[in-house]
Amino acid sequence: MNEFNWILALFRIVGVLVMMSGAVFVCWLLSGRQSPKHISGIFGWSLLVVLWGLGGYAFASRYALGLGAVTNLSDQFPWGIWKALVVCGIAFAAGGFLTACMVYIFRIRTFYPILRPVVLAAYLGYMLSASGALLVDLGRYHQIWRPIFYWQHHSVLFEVSWCVMLYTGVLSVEFAPIVLDRFGWKRISHFVHAITVPFVICGVILSTLHQSSLGSLFLIVPNKLLPLWYTPLLPIFFFLSALISGFAMAIFVSALTFWIFHKPLEPRVLTSLAKGMTPLLFIYLFLRIADLTARNAWMYIFRCPLQGFTFTLEMLLLTLPLFVVLRTRWSGRRRWAFAAAIPVILGVNLNRLNVAWIGLLPATGSNYFPSWIEITVVLNLLSFGVVLFGLAARYLPLFEHPDIGGHHAPGATADVTTIGPMEASGHV
């Protein structure tokens, strides 16, 4: 045991040092290969170094000791916050296939400028949630390759795993021109553009399948998931909420990215996305209310105080944006479109947490709450996404966009004069 403790301590020290060194290096890259000169820069560097140092300790402990020693999971509650992170991340990455569909298939020029940032955000969402979180969450993570060769045709999880793998490949094709343009490989970039549309169509199909199948995963626990969320319509609700969160994430990523990096963005880009989100939000809320009424499930709001509170908060967050986008004097302003997207993101995120975590607590008799190592891993994975996005924005042509009609136009902005009358009016 003494030898093991020494090895464990050494493993943790190496993990901390490697992660802290990586944090310093990426901070240096993000700051334009310069040392911080202001208090805000020093604080940002220090915060990331400390967070990644704790992450190094957490990752080393998880892989050295296993899940049981570092998490609060149990046989009664085997799926925790890491699994919920996978479900949340895949839902919010729906903005990628929505934006790609509107640009490549429907050729809506209004959304050309935001294509690359949104696709990158979706790409990182899949890589960090569907891959990164799973490699930490799976007990036998080294067996993650098995669904490729050992097929289980009757398993919903098998279908989800294949769709996620294939759609990550689609996102790789959509993201590839950003890297190819950076290194000046024009011929390969033109070839990738030529094959992108069929891949986007496949991506839409794959996303439709696995976004709904994530809801199907929870159909096997009718006696465990609280009736406030359990319903035979779970696959439909998961798909609709993914579409809604896709619009919201496209608004959030576009507004925040173009503002931080001081890039011009047409206001109607955000307002058009908000208008596209509104009818889907209406349909989703109507179906949820009708389903709860038909199953007489409203009583559980009062039977389970914690679950009743989180359910009420979830519904309020998803209802609030309607009061913003339906007000005429608000709906045409991008600041209100951004304000409407935030509660949608929070509401869908809370819905996934309710289904994958909070709604299961009463039946399992568990008081599961994530350990500090679980929370640290989640924060580290989120910070990886932010850092990688920042590096791409600084060193790749993220804000240049191709003319999908066939000509690549580096550095171009939205061509207002060539946008059709339907798009010019904001009705897309």
Side-chain angles (χ1 to χ4, degrees):
M1 285 298 294
N2 289 332
E3 290 183 2
F4 176 77
N5 290 336
W6 276 104
I7 295 174
L8 175 61
L10 181 62
F11 191 45
R12 285 171 170 169
I13 292 172
V14 171
V16 171
L17 291 178
V18 169
M19 290 291 287
M20 292 178 72
S21 302
V24 173
F25 181 66
V26 298
C27 286
W28 179 69
L29 291 176
L30 287 171
S31 60
R33 301 174 185 176
Q34 296 178 354
S35 299
K37 298 181 176 63
H38 303 286
I39 297 297
S40 60
I42 296 174
F43 177 76
W45 281 46
S46 302
L47 183 63
L48 191 65
V49 169
V50 171
L51 178 61
W52 283 24
L54 292 173
Y57 182 92
F59 284 115
S61 300
R62 181 264 174 268
Y63 288 114
L65 301 175
L67 293 176
V70 299
T71 70
N72 288 334
L73 300 175
S74 62
D75 291 339
Q76 289 74 31
F77 202 92
W79 280 18
I81 193 172
W82 291 341
K83 198 76 71 181
L85 177 64
V86 175
V87 180
C88 294
I90 291 177
F92 291 122
F97 91 84
L98 274 175
T99 307
C101 178
M102 291 185 293
V103 169
Y104 285 105
I105 299 177
F106 296 107
R107 304 295 175 92
I108 303 176
R109 294 180 60 88
T110 304
F111 303 117
Y112 282 17
I114 68 170
L115 174 65
R116 286 184 169 181
V118 175
V119 167
L120 174 59
Y123 192 31
L124 293 174
Y126 271 88
M127 293 297 292
L128 294 174
S129 64
S131 300
L134 277 179
L135 287 174
V136 180
D137 179 62
L138 294 176
R140 302 177 68 184
Y141 55 88
H142 52 280
Q143 304 283 5
I144 196 172
W145 54 270
R146 283 188 170 269
I148 300 176
F149 300 101
Y150 298 92
W151 288 29
Q152 300 292 335
H153 304 85
H154 300 290
S155 169
V156 175
L157 195 57
F158 169 77
E159 184 261 336
V160 171
S161 62
W162 260 100
C163 285
V164 169
M165 285 189 292
L166 292 174
Y167 185 60
T168 303
V170 170
L171 285 172
S172 299
V173 173
E174 296 177 14
F175 177 73
I178 305 177
V179 179
L180 297 175
D181 291 345
R182 171 64 178 83
F183 293 100
W185 297 335
K186 300 297 182 182
R187 291 186 178 180
I188 304 178
S189 180
H190 286 312
F191 172 75
V192 173
H193 279 299
I195 65 173
T196 297
V197 173
F199 274 87
V200 170
I201 295 173
C202 292
V204 173
I205 297 172
L206 292 170
S207 293
T208 302
L209 290 172
H210 73 259
Q211 293 289 0
S212 59
S213 295
L214 285 173
S216 301
L217 285 176
F218 296 92
L219 292 179
I220 63 173
V221 288
N223 298 321
K224 291 185 178 181
L225 183 58
L226 205 66
L228 288 173
W229 295 283
Y230 182 84
T231 169
L233 300 180
L234 260 179
I236 297 175
F237 289 153
F238 262 59
F239 177 64
L240 284 175
S241 59
L243 291 179
I244 296 165
S245 66
F247 277 106
M249 281 302 293
I251 295 171
F252 181 80
V253 170
S254 304
L256 209 57
T257 303
F258 279 78
W259 172 68
I260 291 175
F261 293 97
H262 307 288
K263 300 293 183 180
L265 182 65
E266 289 287 329
R268 61 174 169 181
V269 175
L270 303 184
T271 56
S272 298
L273 288 169
K275 291 177 181 178
M277 177 180 68
T278 305
L280 291 175
L281 195 53
F282 259 122
I283 295 172
Y284 175 78
L285 290 172
F286 173 78
L287 290 177
R288 282 289 300 274
I289 293 172
D291 175 68
L292 288 165
T293 304
R295 293 185 295 106
N296 195 26
W298 293 101
M299 67 181 73
Y300 290 93
I301 295 178
F302 307 101
R303 290 186 180 180
C304 306
L306 173 62
Q307 287 71 25
F309 171 75
T310 57
F311 170 81
T312 304
L313 181 59
E314 171 195 330
M315 297 297 285
L316 287 176
L317 286 170
L318 293 174
T319 305
L320 181 61
L322 295 178
F323 294 98
V324 176
V325 297
L326 294 180
R327 290 291 296 270
T328 305
R329 63 189 180 91
W330 293 350
S331 60
R333 300 180 181 180
R334 59 182 174 184
R335 73 174 70 174
W336 290 109
F338 181 74
I342 293 176
V344 169
I345 294 172
L346 295 175
V348 175
N349 185 54
L350 183 56
N351 171 260
R352 297 300 192 264
L353 293 177
N354 282 331
V355 173
W357 170 17
I358 300 172
L360 294 168
L361 293 176
T364 58
S366 171
N367 294 319
Y368 165 80
F369 188 82
S371 67
W372 75 267
I373 287 184
E374 293 178 80
I375 296 173
T376 301
V377 168
V378 170
L379 294 177
N380 270 261
L381 290 173
L382 294 176
S383 69
F384 293 163
V386 174
V387 166
L388 290 173
F389 192 97
L391 291 173
R394 177 170 283 277
Y395 295 103
L396 296 177
L398 190 64
F399 299 99
E400 301 173 6
H401 60 278
D403 184 344
I404 308 303
H407 303 286
H408 187 65
T413 56
D415 186 357
V416 179
T417 59
T418 58
I419 294 176
M422 181 66 75
E423 298 168 39
S425 64
H427 300 291
V428 293

